[in-house]
Every structure is written in C-alpha cells, then in structure tokens.
Amino acid sequence: MPVISATREPLCSVSLLTWCPVLKVHSQASGHNPSSAPLRRSQSSTPKVKKSVSSRIHEAVKAIALCHNVTPVYEARAGVTGETEFAEADQDFSDENRTYQASSPDEVALVRWTESVGLTLVSRDLASMQLKTPSGQVLTYCILQMFPFTSESKRMGIIVRDESTAEITFYMKGADVAMSTIVQYNDWLEEECGNMAREGLRTLVVAKRTLTEEQYQDFESRYSQAKLSIHDRTLKVAAVVESLEREMELLCLTGVEDQLQADVRPTLEMLRNAGIKIWMLTGDKLETATCIAKSSHLVSRTQDIHIFRPVTNRGEAHLELNAFRRKHDCALVISGDSLEVCLRYYEHELVELACQCPAVVCCRCSPTQKAHIVTLLRQHTRKRTCAIGDGGNDVSMIQAADCGIGIEGKEGKQASLAADFSITQFRHIGRLLMVHGRNSYKRSAALGQFVMHRGLIISTMQAVFSSVFYFASVPLYQGFLMVGYATIYTMFPVFSLVLDQDVKPEMAILYPELYKDLTKGRSLSFKTFLIWVLISIYQGGILMYGALVLFEAEFVHVVAISFTALILTELLMVALTVRTWHWLMVVAEFLSLGCYVASLAFLNEYFGIGRVSFGAFLDVAFITTVTFLWKVSAITVVSCLPLYVLKYLKRKLSPPSYSKLSS
C-alpha cells in the first residue's frame, strides 16, 4: 500500500500569481462601512497614512525580493582556469550568467518573479544583499537577523537595514494559518487564500514591521541572551522572536503553481490498475490538495469526496466517523489536525475505514505525521508500504516505509539520498514497480527455493544412505565432490534464474493487472516451501534408492550412478523452472555439465566409499558402458518426469495470468 507524497515540480516565475491588497483596500474604503468592522481593527492608536497604489505594490515587491534564502550564483567565464584568489575576477556578473540557489524552488520562483518586474537580486552573502532597480541603481541592505523556515512555525523572517536610509524593517512570510493571527485585521486574506488554493496554488502571506533603532537594540539584547540560555533555549528564543510578530502590516499574498511532471496521470492510473492503494500526504491547504488530487486524477472529478470536517475533541471525531462510515466508494480528504484527534481516540476504526477508500488525501501534514501514518498502515494492514517523496520533509516518511523512493528534482537530493531507490521522474515509478519490482520478486522467489532444493536433495540422499546402512557415520560423497556440487557443478544454472522473466517488460507495463498476482504471495509462501520440500525428499529418495537397487557387484558404482543422476536432475530442474530462455542460461547449463564430465578424468578416486579402508576407485571403463548410461538415465527420468507431467497438467487446467500474454 504505497504512500505517495510530493510528486509535483514547481514552475518558474511564469506561473507565479501575486495578489496585492491594494485593490481590496480600495474597494473597502469606497463601499464598506468602517463602523461595522470589529473593534480589533481600531486598536492601533497611531494614525494610519493612506498609501498610494504604486507605493503598496513597491513595498510588496521589495518584501518578496528581500525575505528569502536565495543566493545568486555566477558561473566562471568560459576558458578561464584561474586560481582561487582570481575566482571573483574570472566571474561573469551579467544577467544571462546568473542562476539562483535555494532550499525551496518556490523561493527561486518568487525571486525570479521580482526580477521579471524590475527588482533583481544581484548578490548576497551572510551579512548583506544587493538589489538592482530598473534604472540601474543598486540598493544595499544589511542582514541583521535571519529566522529560517521550520515545519513547526510554518514561516520565516528576516530583519534588514537599508544602507541608504538606515531604516530597519522586519519582513516575514509564511502559511496563512500561521500568519493570520500575526498580521493586522483584514477582510480579504482568508477569501483570497481559498480562491488561490482552489486553483491549485501554494500560497504565502507576506508582511512587514518597521522597527526603530531602540526597538531593534532591545530585541537584539534579549535575543542574544535567549540564545545563551542553558535551559529551554529553544522556547526562550521562540518567545523573543514572537515578541516582534505582533500587528504586522499585511503586504501581499503570493501563489505559486506546482505543475505536474510528465505522465503523472497515466502512472497513477497504472498503479491503481495494479491493485496498489495510493495515499497523498502533503503539507498544502485542503483546497490546494484537493485540486492537485483531481488534476492528477488521483481522485476522479465525478467521484464522491468526503471532506473530513475539523474536529477538536472525541465527540466531534465520533460524529464525523459515523458520517464517513455511511458513505461508500468515496475518496477521503482529511487535515493533519483532524487526523491527529481521530487517531488518538479511534485509531483502528479510522485506519480500517480509510483503507477501504479508493484514494486518501491527507493535507496539512507535518513530516512527523507522515512517518506516523506510514507506520500505522504497516501495523494495521500487515502489508508492504512504499513511500515516495522529493523533499526534505519526506525523509522521515521514506525511512519509515518498507521501501523508500526518492525523486531527485528541484526540491534537492535529501529524499533521494535517504531512500532505497532514487529516480529523476515520477513516471519512472511505473517501470520500477511493474517491471523491475515484479521480476525481482519472482526471481528472488525462484532462486531462494532452488538454493533450498539444492541443499535438501543431497541431505535426503545422505539420510537415506545412512538409514539403509544402520546409520553408519560414513559420508556418501567425499571431499571435492561436495565442494564441486555446491560451486561449479550447479551454481551457474541455479543463479542464472535471475535472468528469467515470464513476460516482456513492455507487456508488464501495458498490463499492470499482472502485478496483482504478487499481492497474493503465491510465488513465495508456506505452500511453495512445503511443495519444494516434498520435491526434494522425493527426488533425493528416488536417486538414492534407484542407485542402490540398480548397482551390480561393486558397491562403488552407487556413488558414480547417484552423483551423476544428481547433477543431471539439478540441471533438468533448472530447465523445468525457466520460462524464457536467455543465452547465458544455455551457456550455464552446458558449462556445468562440461565441468562435471571433465572432472571425471582426474577426480575418479573421490567416487569411492571410504577409499582408505575399502581401496575403492572409479572404474573408468564402467562409466563409458551402456549399462551405466541407461541406469543413470532411468533414475533421472523417474525423478524428473512426474514433475514435468504435473507442471504440464497444472498449466493446462489452471494456467497463470501471464500465459495468455506469453503465448
């Protein structure tokens, strides 16, 4: 039951939408009665100066250009191989040679958008950054403090000082959930966030606060003291930062479109046809997650969707679960907060109902919640989980799953480095599971069973030999025969089974329903284990008893006949199992048989039973006679022919699903 998250690739600035509140402010001033607004709006005692449209837009663009962690990078000039001290002189600072690096592609998209409207980030270091205006003027800002984004706070901030005016400004941007309580009262933020989310855009709220020199010095002293604390340092630092996050001026709301990668829709359709349950775990808003689930066809546009209402206590969770239980064949959309409450009181009921849904979308999930959901699915369903992600917030989920797949893209390499498999496109998951995963499972099952069969059959022969001769502690095969049986005589054919395949890769991708057979576990189970145990006991008994019955006057012929029949039986069993022959399989079969025949010339003394006490040696003339050949052939046919007949009858009466395609 794979858990899939973060399968989208952000676009550049061309798909960026920015909403400036000036239009809302204008309409509010002309058509809304100020007296009807809540009292919170008039709490500020300082008189507000009405800003013009151009000044508001300028402030919004400047805030987006300053509040980020993006660094511009310039490549060295072509053909220059200078030393380290000449690296700066060798760089080309033209606009065409500039690229941006950041931990999030959304940050790069926002900076590229500000560049497209005329405010360009030209340089940045730990202490300052420079912006270039359309007129060519360079604005320098000193970075006083930097508060990086975290999954807990859901926002980031920066304090900068304008070198030209010495003005200190605190800029902050983050999710609307975190920023709605920080910014000053407004009547349009929630509505516009919902509108953008329904279009599938990832929204960020941008705000600012102007600080005086005294206010900043007071904050810096308290902030430095909090960072030097020994006990509860994190809480104290957060409390000092939160003292700045009060009544901030709302500047704008940005929306970045996350474009689906190529072939995401057919890949998800392929996974569903293969019997794989798909859950989407994301940190986006509910409306954004629902829009993306529909655009990727994870949820059909005509399919019923049950949106789990926000719940805060046990009673609300019980009522919502009852409402959800009455619906059938509908997709579930639930937020992380509601999921946390339901799992606290009704963990088993929720997981049982959710697993029956055709698709599940969990929005507003933290990295810890993603890993917790994967762990719950493993515990409750007892099935294998596969977590797929492309960002650093998916690492915990990937490591919690049975199989982790990391997508190496614009989000960075954190997910791919922490995963079991790394791919570059989401569409590659189809081939990874339908072809490589399916073949790996079937080949591993065949190889494991054959290794067991190879060891158990010779153990059965030794047991039969010892029981016939009153459990004498005499080995059936001496020295190098045992080593050769485990290596050059049988190793190459057995391990060549890793090249076997039942259908071609194109057929496995075209018919993903073949993958459903793997979920039944019929290729490797207790039933197949017992079948191979019975086969090994049957063949070991036939080989040993046949050699004892057919030997003539000299007992040493038992070893020659039984060991030769054993090698031939093992080679024929490999041929019986192979479904599609590979040229290396044929080479392995004849190479092993040739090595055995060649070794008879210089290993004849090993075919005796207790050669020191009995003085028995292999009679070369005997193995070239017709008697030896027909006895070995008879024993081999009796041990293998019934299995061939049973396999033929089973294939005719109950053919496997792939037989129709292979024929």
Side-chain angles (χ1 to χ4, degrees):
M1 187 176 292
V3 182
I4 299 179
S5 173
T7 61
R8 290 163 283 125
E9 181 178 2
L11 278 177
C12 295
S13 58
V14 68
S15 297
L16 176 66
L17 299 179
T18 303
W19 173 265
C20 291
V22 60
L23 299 180
K24 286 292 180 180
V25 172
H26 177 71
S27 62
Q28 175 182 340
S30 61
H32 180 68
N33 186 6
S35 61
S36 63
L39 294 177
R40 177 185 170 185
R41 191 178 163 209
S42 60
Q43 287 177 354
S44 179
S45 59
T46 59
K48 297 183 179 180
V49 180
K50 185 176 180 179
K51 297 181 181 179
S52 63
V53 174
S54 60
S55 63
R56 286 180 177 270
I57 295 178
H58 181 268
E59 285 293 332
V61 174
K62 185 171 70 171
I64 298 173
L66 289 174
C67 188
H68 54 73
N69 59 1
V70 180
T71 302
V73 178
Y74 299 89
E75 299 293 338
R77 292 192 183 100
V80 177
T81 57
E83 299 295 333
T84 306
E85 58 267 18
F86 301 106
E88 185 175 353
D90 295 336
Q91 290 180 349
D92 183 8
F93 291 95
S94 62
D95 294 342
E96 295 77 10
N97 194 42
R98 184 190 307 112
T99 57
Y100 296 107
Q101 292 183 354
S103 59
S104 172
D106 291 6
E107 299 269 80
V108 177
L110 291 170
V111 173
R112 288 191 181 278
W113 180 82
T114 60
E115 180 183 359
S116 66
V117 297
L119 198 58
T120 305
L121 177 66
V122 293
S123 67
R124 176 177 182 160
D125 53 29
L126 295 177
S128 65
M129 70 174 70
Q130 292 181 338
L131 304 178
K132 187 173 67 174
T133 62
S135 61
Q137 181 184 3
V138 177
L139 306 177
T140 304
Y141 294 87
C142 179
I143 301 176
L144 301 179
Q145 297 291 343
M146 185 76 180
F147 313 110
F149 176 88
T150 61
S151 58
E152 291 79 16
S153 64
K154 295 185 172 73
R155 57 187 180 269
M156 69 156 296
I158 186 173
I159 301 178
V160 297
R161 176 190 281 118
D162 191 344
E163 293 293 342
S164 60
T165 62
E167 183 181 9
I168 301 176
T169 309
F170 174 41
Y171 292 103
M172 176 166 284
K173 67 178 180 183
D176 59 298
V177 176
M179 297 293 293
S180 59
T181 58
I182 296 175
V183 299
Q184 297 174 355
Y185 173 78
N186 60 87
D187 59 352
W188 60 269
L189 179 59
E190 183 178 357
E191 178 184 355
E192 292 303 325
C193 282
N195 293 337
M196 286 189 172
R198 281 185 286 273
E199 296 178 12
L201 303 180
R202 303 178 66 171
T203 57
L204 282 176
V205 180
V206 184
K208 78 164 187 175
R209 179 183 177 185
T210 303
L211 304 176
T212 63
E213 187 68 30
E214 292 76 13
Q215 288 176 332
Y216 174 72
Q217 293 299 332
D218 177 64
F219 165 78
E220 186 181 22
S221 62
R222 291 186 291 112
Y223 188 66
S224 301
Q225 185 177 1
K227 289 195 296 184
L228 295 176
S229 300
I230 299 177
H231 302 289
D232 299 330
R233 180 185 305 166
T234 304
L235 296 177
K236 291 180 180 179
V237 170
V240 174
V241 176
E242 287 177 1
S243 65
L244 287 181
E245 302 171 351
R246 296 176 182 174
E247 291 296 318
M248 301 189 68
E249 180 185 353
L250 179 59
L251 296 177
C252 64
L253 173 66
T254 64
V256 180
E257 179 185 2
D258 275 4
Q259 186 187 38
L260 293 174
Q261 290 183 350
D263 297 334
V264 170
R265 297 184 184 92
T267 301
L268 292 177
E269 186 69 22
M270 180 192 303
L271 296 179
R272 277 199 298 268
N273 293 337
I276 298 175
K277 292 279 189 177
I278 303 173
W279 289 35
M280 187 178 80
L281 312 180
T282 177
D284 294 334
K285 289 171 60 68
L286 187 143
E287 296 85 359
T288 307
T290 305
C291 179
I292 294 172
K294 290 181 178 179
S295 62
S296 63
H297 292 182
L298 176 63
V299 177
S300 174
R301 296 187 181 274
T302 59
Q303 190 176 32
D304 293 336
I305 300 177
H306 179 79
I307 299 179
F308 217 88
R309 293 185 304 170
V311 296
T312 57
N313 53 57
R314 184 171 185 173
E316 294 178 354
H318 180 70
L319 293 176
E320 193 63 23
L321 278 176
N322 288 337
F324 177 51
R325 187 179 287 109
R326 288 192 292 267
K327 295 186 178 181
H328 301 282
D329 194 29
C330 68
L332 173 63
V333 180
I334 185 172
S335 63
D337 296 336
S338 301
L339 181 67
E340 196 72 25
V341 175
C342 292
L343 291 178
R344 187 184 306 140
Y345 301 108
Y346 304 102
E347 178 179 300
H348 181 74
E349 291 83 353
L350 178 63
V351 175
E352 183 180 1
L353 291 174
C355 290
Q356 298 174 1
C357 297
V360 178
V361 178
C362 299
C363 57
R364 289 298 188 193
C365 284
S366 64
T368 306
Q369 284 180 324
K370 292 181 180 181
H372 184 51
I373 293 173
V374 174
T375 305
L376 281 177
L377 291 177
R378 293 181 59 187
Q379 294 175 351
H380 283 268
T381 63
R382 303 294 181 183
K383 295 182 179 180
R384 296 293 180 263
T385 58
C386 173
I388 306 168
D390 67 344
N393 55 353
D394 300 318
V395 171
S396 57
M397 174 186 67
I398 289 174
Q399 293 179 340
D402 296 290
C403 176
I405 301 177
I407 302 177
E408 182 180 339
K410 293 186 178 182
E411 290 283 350
K413 297 184 179 180
Q414 298 96 326
S416 62
L417 291 176
D420 301 301
F421 301 93
S422 177
I423 58 179
T424 58
Q425 293 286 327
F426 182 79
R427 60 182 177 181
H428 298 161
I429 296 174
R431 187 174 185 88
L432 179 64
L433 295 179
M434 300 300 108
V435 179
H436 300 290
R438 185 173 180 274
N439 288 340
S440 177
Y441 174 74
K442 286 184 169 291
R443 292 167 177 174
S444 298
L447 180 61
Q449 291 164 345
F450 245 94
V451 170
M452 178 195 67
H453 168 266
R454 188 179 62 168
L456 189 56
I457 186 174
I458 198 171
S459 301
T460 304
M461 295 177 67
Q462 178 66 51
V464 172
F465 174 78
S466 299
S467 63
V468 169
F469 293 98
Y470 305 99
F471 299 99
S473 59
V474 178
L476 177 59
Y477 302 124
Q478 298 285 333
F480 192 81
L481 290 183
M482 294 296 296
V483 177
Y485 173 76
T487 55
I488 60 174
Y489 294 158
T490 61
M491 181 184 69
F492 297 117
V494 170
F495 280 87
S496 67
L497 290 173
V498 298
L499 303 174
D500 188 24
Q501 61 180 13
D502 50 2
V503 294
K504 295 182 179 180
E506 295 78 11
M507 288 293 181
I509 295 177
L510 186 61
Y511 298 97
E513 291 79 8
L514 295 172
Y515 192 84
K516 281 186 178 180
D517 295 339
L518 304 187
T519 60
K520 301 175 182 178
R522 294 178 178 176
S523 298
L524 186 61
S525 61
F526 286 109
K527 180 181 178 180
T528 59
F529 171 77
L530 293 176
I531 290 175
W532 278 97
V533 168
L534 294 176
I535 291 175
S536 302
I537 294 175
Y538 166 76
Q539 290 184 331
I542 290 296
L543 293 176
M544 196 65 248
Y545 278 112
L548 292 175
V549 170
L550 297 180
F551 86 97
E552 294 183 352
E554 299 183 12
F555 188 77
V556 68
H557 294 164
V558 173
V559 177
I561 294 174
S562 63
F563 193 79
T564 304
L566 174 63
I567 298 299
L568 294 178
T569 298
E570 196 68 30
L571 298 181
L572 288 175
M573 285 298 294
V574 172
L576 174 65
T577 306
V578 171
R579 289 159 294 195
T580 303
W581 282 92
H582 192 276
W583 67 271
L584 287 176
M585 296 179 179
V586 180
V587 171
E589 291 273 336
F590 285 101
L591 179 63
S592 299
L593 183 60
C595 290
Y596 174 68
V597 174
S599 64
L600 294 178
F602 56 89
L603 293 177
N604 50 14
E605 69 272 13
Y606 284 98
F607 286 92
I609 302 296
R611 58 189 178 92
V612 177
S613 57
F614 292 94
F617 291 91
L618 175 65
D619 187 1
V620 179
F622 173 72
I623 65 174
T624 58
T625 60
V626 177
T627 303
F628 174 80
L629 295 178
W630 80 260
K631 289 182 179 181
V632 170
S633 301
I635 296 174
T636 305
V637 168
V638 173
S639 65
C640 294
L641 184 61
L643 301 180
Y644 271 97
V645 174
L646 291 176
K647 181 180 180 180
Y648 176 79
L649 293 177
K650 182 181 179 182
R651 191 177 180 87
K652 287 294 184 182
L653 299 177
S654 178
S657 57
Y658 65 85
S659 60
K660 300 178 181 179
L661 302 177
S662 58
S663 61

